């Protein structure tokens, strides 16, 4: 299923900057960055649970925000892209 993951991590101090890097690095392992703090990830149920648990453990819930949008398997009719960054095939090969 396609899951859109967005986050907003406070970078007011060094600890926040470290959290931001860790969250981004974890997301890169599972999907494609489509905006600065937005990733599109093709995940099965076990990958989703693992990633969600990892990300929640990384953030500070008093300062940071993390959102998951579940677009499902029929996501092609739910996503439109306009603008400069070229789109990609979400189910294609992901090079890490």
């Amino acid at each position: 299923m396609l899951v859109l993951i967005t986050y907003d991590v406070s970078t007011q101090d060094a600890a926040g900057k470290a959290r931001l890097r860790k969250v981004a690095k974890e997301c890169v392992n599972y999907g494609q960055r489509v905006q600065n703090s937005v990733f599109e990830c093709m995940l099965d149920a076990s990958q989703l649970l693992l990633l969600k648990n990892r990300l929640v453990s990384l953030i500070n819930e008093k300062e940071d925000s993390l959102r998951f949008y579940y677009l499902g398997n029929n996501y092609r009719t739910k996503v439109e892209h306009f603008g400069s960054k070229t789109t990609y095939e979400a189910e294609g090969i992901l090079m890490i």
Side-chain angles (χ1 to χ4, degrees):
M1 85 177 88
L2 182 66
V3 179
L4 188 72
I5 300 172
T6 68
Y7 54 88
D8 187 16
V9 176
S10 174
T11 57
Q12 297 295 323
D13 56 19
K17 292 175 184 175
R19 285 194 314 274
L20 177 64
R21 285 189 300 276
K22 289 177 184 176
V23 168
K25 186 176 179 181
E26 198 63 43
C27 289
V28 164
N29 290 333
Y30 287 89
Q32 176 72 36
R33 183 188 300 263
V34 293
Q35 297 283 324
N36 286 337
S37 297
V38 180
F39 283 81
E40 289 180 355
C41 303
M42 289 299 297
L43 305 169
D44 62 31
S46 62
Q47 290 172 319
L48 175 60
L49 185 60
L50 181 65
L51 179 57
K52 187 187 305 185
N53 287 336
R54 285 182 181 171
L55 293 176
V56 169
S57 73
L58 291 174
I59 67 166
N60 177 336
E61 291 189 35
K62 293 181 180 177
E63 297 179 16
D64 307 330
S65 173
L66 179 62
R67 291 178 176 253
F68 294 83
Y69 297 90
Y70 306 101
L71 300 177
N73 292 321
N74 298 318
Y75 62 89
R76 286 178 184 86
T77 61
K78 299 175 185 173
V79 178
E80 284 186 293
H81 175 261
F82 301 94
S84 63
K85 291 187 180 182
T86 59
T87 191
Y88 72 103
E89 178 58 41
E91 293 183 50
I93 297 174
L94 179 61
M95 301 294 259
I96 298 177

